[in-house]
Amino acid sequence: MSQRHWEDFSPGSVSEYGPRLVTRDDIVEFAAAFDPQPMHLDEAAAQASMLGGLAASGWHSCCLLIRMLSDGFITQSSFMGATGVEEVCWLAPLRPGETVTARATVIETRPSRSRPEMGLVKFLFELFHSTGRRVMTLTMSPMFARRGAAVLGRNEASGAR
């Protein structure tokens, strides 16, 4: 597969990644290491919480999403990182034994104003249960190298247009 650059992303395009099974052990291990709240660690405490049962941390959901995106396209692209996340929403609990998939929808693309060798792609990322119910959404604008980035950078540095 050839590497994807900024120019390869078009507004409205949709890609799907996964699936990935989430186990009880996955949920408890993640929570123990990174988000040790009772509703993510203990069935009885989780049952008594507003979640009504053991559920993955929202941050665990974010990590699962990023893993599927990394496996699906980020590591095969000219990805240059991101400056942050615009919004993350946790919409439904993620339970043990559920399988999730990820969807990436390109909202818009724009060249960087300050760095001509790169562009930004605004995505809506969604994580879904196998039933089709959305678990979470995440909106962000990662940076990708532009095709011919070395030439763009040299021309800008020399003042050429």
Side-chain angles (χ1 to χ4, degrees):
M1 174 181 200
S2 61
Q3 192 175 56
R4 294 178 75 185
H5 289 77
W6 174 77
E7 294 85 354
D8 298 319
F9 296 95
S10 302
S13 65
V14 177
S15 301
E16 295 195 359
Y17 307 98
R20 189 166 184 107
L21 173 66
V22 181
T23 67
R24 180 199 175 282
D25 289 346
D26 294 336
I27 291 171
V28 172
E29 287 173 21
F30 183 94
F34 303 107
D35 192 358
Q37 296 182 65
M39 67 267 221
H40 306 313
L41 291 168
D42 176 74
E43 281 88 353
Q47 190 65 39
S49 77
M50 66 181 255
L51 295 176
L54 191 68
S57 162
W59 298 113
H60 189 178
S61 298
C62 288
C63 291
L64 290 166
L65 172 71
I66 294 303
R67 180 58 197 234
M68 285 188 280
L69 297 174
S70 292
D71 292 346
F73 82 94
I74 290 174
T75 58
Q76 295 90 37
S77 73
S78 63
F79 177 76
M80 299 173 76
T83 59
V85 170
E86 292 177 37
E87 180 180 64
V88 62
C89 295
W90 296 300
L91 307 169
L94 179 55
R95 308 270 188 212
E98 291 181 341
T99 299
V100 291
T101 56
R103 179 183 299 157
T105 303
V106 176
I107 298 171
E108 66 183 30
T109 64
R110 66 176 173 85
S112 170
R113 288 184 210 107
S114 61
R115 296 187 58 195
E117 70 276 9
M118 65 185 238
L120 292 98
V121 180
K122 185 174 186 176
F123 284 96
L124 169 63
F125 296 120
E126 300 168 283
L127 192 66
F128 291 91
H129 290 145
S130 57
T131 62
R133 184 172 181 198
R134 274 195 315 181
V135 175
M136 65 165 289
T137 61
L138 187 146
T139 305
M140 66 183 293
S141 299
M143 302 170 286
F144 294 90
R146 295 178 71 181
R147 198 166 268 108
V151 172
L152 287 167
R154 273 197 307 275
N155 287 343
E156 182 69 20
S158 69
R161 299 271 174 208

Coordinates of all heavy atoms in Angstrom, one line a residue, residues 22-37 40-41 55-64:
V22 N -13.6 -6.5 23.0 CA -13.2 -6.0 24.3 C -13.6 -7.0 25.4 O -14.7 -7.3 25.5 CB -13.9 -4.6 24.6 CG1 -13.4 -4.0 25.9 CG2 -13.6 -3.7 23.4
T23 N -12.6 -7.5 26.1 CA -12.8 -8.5 27.2 C -12.9 -7.8 28.6 O -12.5 -6.7 28.8 CB -11.7 -9.5 27.2 OG1 -10.5 -8.9 27.6 CG2 -11.5 -10.2 25.8
R24 N -13.4 -8.6 29.5 CA -13.4 -8.1 30.9 C -12.0 -7.8 31.4 O -11.8 -6.8 32.0 CB -14.1 -9.2 31.8 CG -14.2 -8.8 33.2 CD -14.4 -10.0 34.2 NE -14.3 -9.5 35.6 CZ -13.2 -9.3 36.2 NH1 -12.0 -9.4 35.6 NH2 -13.2 -8.9 37.5
D25 N -11.1 -8.8 31.1 CA -9.7 -8.6 31.5 C -9.1 -7.3 30.9 O -8.4 -6.6 31.6 CB -8.8 -9.8 31.1 CG -9.1 -11.0 31.9 OD1 -9.8 -10.9 33.0 OD2 -8.7 -12.1 31.5
D26 N -9.4 -7.0 29.6 CA -9.0 -5.8 29.0 C -9.4 -4.5 29.8 O -8.7 -3.6 30.1 CB -9.5 -5.6 27.6 CG -9.0 -6.6 26.6 OD1 -7.9 -7.2 26.8 OD2 -9.7 -6.8 25.6
I27 N -10.7 -4.5 30.1 CA -11.3 -3.4 30.8 C -10.7 -3.2 32.2 O -10.3 -2.1 32.6 CB -12.8 -3.6 31.0 CG1 -13.5 -3.5 29.6 CG2 -13.5 -2.6 31.9 CD1 -15.0 -3.9 29.5
V28 N -10.6 -4.3 33.0 CA -10.0 -4.2 34.3 C -8.5 -3.9 34.3 O -8.1 -3.1 35.1 CB -10.3 -5.5 35.1 CG1 -9.6 -5.6 36.4 CG2 -11.8 -5.7 35.3
E29 N -7.8 -4.5 33.4 CA -6.3 -4.2 33.3 C -6.1 -2.7 33.0 O -5.2 -2.1 33.5 CB -5.6 -5.1 32.3 CG -5.5 -6.5 32.8 CD -5.0 -7.5 31.8 OE1 -4.3 -7.0 30.8 OE2 -5.2 -8.7 31.9
F30 N -6.8 -2.2 32.0 CA -6.7 -0.8 31.6 C -7.0 0.1 32.8 O -6.3 1.0 33.1 CB -7.5 -0.4 30.4 CG -7.3 1.0 30.0 CD1 -6.4 1.3 29.0 CD2 -8.0 2.1 30.5 CE1 -6.2 2.6 28.6 CE2 -7.8 3.4 30.1 CZ -6.9 3.7 29.1
A31 N -8.2 -0.2 33.4 CA -8.6 0.6 34.6 C -7.6 0.6 35.7 O -7.3 1.6 36.3 CB -10.0 0.2 35.0
A32 N -7.1 -0.6 36.0 CA -6.1 -0.7 37.1 C -4.9 0.1 36.8 O -4.3 0.8 37.8 CB -5.7 -2.2 37.3
A33 N -4.5 0.2 35.6 CA -3.3 1.0 35.2 C -3.5 2.5 35.1 O -2.7 3.3 35.4 CB -2.7 0.4 34.0
F34 N -4.7 2.8 34.5 CA -4.9 4.2 34.1 C -6.1 5.0 34.6 O -6.1 6.2 34.6 CB -4.8 4.3 32.6 CG -3.6 3.7 32.0 CD1 -3.6 2.5 31.3 CD2 -2.4 4.4 32.1 CE1 -2.5 2.0 30.8 CE2 -1.2 3.9 31.6 CZ -1.3 2.7 30.9
D35 N -7.1 4.3 35.0 CA -8.4 4.9 35.5 C -9.1 4.1 36.5 O -10.1 3.5 36.3 CB -9.3 5.1 34.2 CG -10.5 6.1 34.5 OD1 -10.6 6.5 35.7 OD2 -11.2 6.3 33.6
P36 N -8.5 4.0 37.7 CA -8.9 3.0 38.7 C -10.2 3.4 39.5 O -10.2 3.5 40.7 CB -7.7 2.9 39.7 CG -7.1 4.2 39.6 CD -7.3 4.7 38.1
Q37 N -11.3 3.7 38.7 CA -12.6 4.0 39.3 C -13.3 2.7 39.5 O -13.2 1.8 38.7 CB -13.3 4.9 38.5 CG -12.7 6.3 38.3 CD -13.5 7.2 37.5 OE1 -14.6 7.6 37.9 NE2 -13.0 7.6 36.3
H40 N -15.1 0.6 36.7 CA -14.2 0.0 35.7 C -13.4 -1.2 36.3 O -12.8 -1.9 35.5 CB -13.2 1.0 35.2 CG -13.9 2.3 34.6 ND1 -15.0 2.3 33.8 CD2 -13.5 3.6 34.8 CE1 -15.3 3.5 33.5 NE2 -14.4 4.3 34.2
L41 N -13.5 -1.4 37.6 CA -12.7 -2.5 38.2 C -13.5 -3.6 38.8 O -13.0 -4.7 38.9 CB -11.8 -1.8 39.3 CG -10.7 -0.9 38.9 CD1 -10.2 -0.1 40.1 CD2 -9.6 -1.7 38.2
A55 N -18.0 -1.4 32.9 CA -17.9 -0.8 31.6 C -16.4 -0.2 31.5 O -15.8 0.1 32.5 CB -18.9 0.4 31.5
A56 N -16.0 -0.2 30.3 CA -14.6 0.4 30.0 C -14.6 1.9 30.3 O -15.6 2.6 30.2 CB -14.3 0.1 28.6
S57 N -13.5 2.3 30.8 CA -13.2 3.7 30.9 C -13.4 4.4 29.6 O -13.1 3.8 28.5 CB -11.8 3.9 31.4 OG -11.3 5.2 31.2
G58 N -13.8 5.7 29.6 CA -13.9 6.4 28.3 C -12.5 6.6 27.7 O -12.4 6.5 26.5
W59 N -11.5 6.7 28.5 CA -10.1 6.8 28.0 C -9.7 5.5 27.4 O -9.0 5.5 26.4 CB -9.2 7.2 29.1 CG -9.6 8.6 29.6 CD1 -10.0 8.9 30.9 CD2 -9.6 9.8 28.9 NE1 -10.3 10.2 30.9 CE2 -10.1 10.8 29.7 CE3 -9.2 10.1 27.6 CZ2 -10.2 12.1 29.3 CZ3 -9.4 11.5 27.2 CH2 -9.8 12.5 28.0
H60 N -10.2 4.4 27.9 CA -9.9 3.1 27.2 C -10.6 3.1 25.8 O -9.9 2.6 24.9 CB -10.5 2.0 28.1 CG -10.1 0.6 27.7 ND1 -10.5 -0.5 28.4 CD2 -9.4 0.1 26.7 CE1 -10.1 -1.6 27.8 NE2 -9.4 -1.3 26.8
S61 N -11.8 3.6 25.7 CA -12.4 3.7 24.4 C -11.6 4.5 23.4 O -11.5 4.1 22.3 CB -13.8 4.3 24.6 OG -14.7 3.4 25.4
C62 N -11.1 5.6 23.9 CA -10.2 6.5 23.1 C -9.0 5.7 22.6 O -8.6 5.8 21.4 CB -9.8 7.7 23.8 SG -11.1 8.9 24.1
C63 N -8.4 5.0 23.5 CA -7.2 4.2 23.2 C -7.5 3.1 22.2 O -6.7 2.9 21.2 CB -6.5 3.6 24.4 SG -5.8 4.9 25.5
L64 N -8.7 2.4 22.3 CA -9.1 1.4 21.3 C -9.3 2.0 20.0 O -8.9 1.5 18.9 CB -10.4 0.7 21.8 CG -10.3 -0.2 23.0 CD1 -11.6 -0.5 23.6 CD2 -9.5 -1.4 22.7

